[in-house]
Amino acid sequence: MRVVVPVREDVPFGVRLALLFVLALSTVIVHLNQAPVLRPAEELISDLRAGGVSKVVHDRDWPAYGTLTWSHGPLSWTQARFDQPDDVWDPETTRLDREALQRRQEAFLARVRAAADPSVEIVRTEGSRGAALLAGSPAYERWWKPFAPVAVTAEALTWLLMLARPNPRYASRWAWFWMFLTGGSLLYVLLEPRPLWRGPYEMPSSAPERLDGTRGFAIAVAVLFGTAMVNA
């Protein structure tokens, strides 16, 4: 009788599948919504009156700095062009005048609320750098706020797996390092230490020729250049 024995590996097959799902989803979200279309803030009022807005997100520092964005759907966002007003800065100390900023912000938000349907969600964020680091890409929170820490955790765990594994099969750690900077974590989970499509019961094939750090760097640069050309 034939006995099938699971292939031993450092990361369980199910964990890799879960990481692959989260990283694939986060990649789609970032590519579709990392850089919203820039439009004048006044157009938000027009969009609200037309009934095409489902959510408005602003941080506490807008419009001195920070962002104001509004949603036409989970993956369709617009961002207000940055137009910094002069009256929110103290002319003598050159420091931010919080009272003036709050008056200007509340005046604009009053118009937003007046034009918005009751179903439109208006959200204020703190806009702190520490929170932004933990939340990862702002595209995550725009799509679904609870997904942000999940995506960041999956990315961090994949980095740790790459750094801890001594002998990757398809590329050296330096090559993976450069490729990770351009979204290579998804490819890493899919391929290392053997392709996920082989399943948990199939022995790995012979090791291919590994990419070295130079070729990994070249691939990362090519991806960055290609992405810039597409977004131009």
Side-chain angles (χ1 to χ4, degrees):
M1 182 177 65
R2 181 182 179 184
V3 178
V4 179
V5 180
V7 178
R8 283 193 171 187
E9 54 181 327
D10 51 353
V11 182
F13 186 79
V15 173
R16 288 180 65 195
L17 280 179
L19 284 174
L20 181 68
F21 174 78
V22 174
L23 292 172
L25 184 57
S26 64
T27 299
V28 171
I29 292 169
V30 167
H31 280 284
L32 290 180
N33 205 27
Q34 176 71 9
V37 176
L38 296 177
R39 291 166 56 194
E42 287 295 324
E43 293 194 19
L44 168 58
I45 307 297
S46 302
D47 286 355
L48 286 167
R49 289 171 178 162
V53 178
S54 58
K55 187 174 183 179
V56 178
V57 179
H58 69 92
D59 65 44
R60 68 183 185 124
D61 298 318
W62 185 87
Y65 42 87
T67 59
L68 167 72
T69 56
W70 61 97
S71 171
H72 306 276
L75 293 175
S76 177
W77 286 77
T78 300
Q79 181 170 318
R81 286 199 185 101
F82 185 70
D83 185 17
Q84 187 181 68
D86 295 330
D87 60 355
V88 298
W89 300 96
D90 189 307
E92 295 182 3
T93 65
T94 68
R95 292 180 179 178
L96 180 64
D97 186 337
R98 281 285 173 189
E99 292 184 1
L101 173 64
Q102 187 172 2
R103 286 195 299 269
R104 177 176 278 271
Q105 188 180 97
E106 283 301 321
F108 184 80
L109 291 176
R111 296 174 58 205
V112 168
R113 295 185 187 99
D117 186 270
S119 62
V120 176
E121 185 181 4
I122 301 175
V123 179
R124 170 179 149 152
T125 63
E126 291 305 311
S128 65
R129 294 183 179 180
L133 180 63
L134 293 175
S137 169
Y140 299 150
E141 288 201 17
R142 293 189 194 114
W143 180 65
W144 187 44
K145 189 172 182 178
F147 180 73
V150 176
V152 172
T153 300
E155 186 71 29
L157 181 58
T158 307
W159 270 91
L160 290 175
L161 291 175
M162 183 271 291
L163 294 173
R165 181 174 286 131
N167 295 305
R169 288 167 55 82
Y170 288 88
S172 68
R173 273 189 288 190
W174 268 113
W176 280 120
F177 172 83
W178 294 118
M179 291 188 287
F180 264 44
L181 298 179
T182 57
S185 54
L186 175 64
L187 191 62
Y188 181 85
V189 171
L190 184 65
L191 293 177
E192 295 285 0
R194 58 196 178 84
L196 265 178
W197 60 81
R198 291 190 177 276
Y201 298 101
E202 189 173 343
M203 293 296 293
S205 58
S206 58
E209 181 183 357
R210 293 199 308 171
L211 293 174
D212 58 17
T214 302
R215 284 186 286 177
F217 178 78
I219 291 173
V221 171
V223 171
L224 284 175
F225 181 76
T227 303
M229 291 294 291
V230 170
N231 294 330

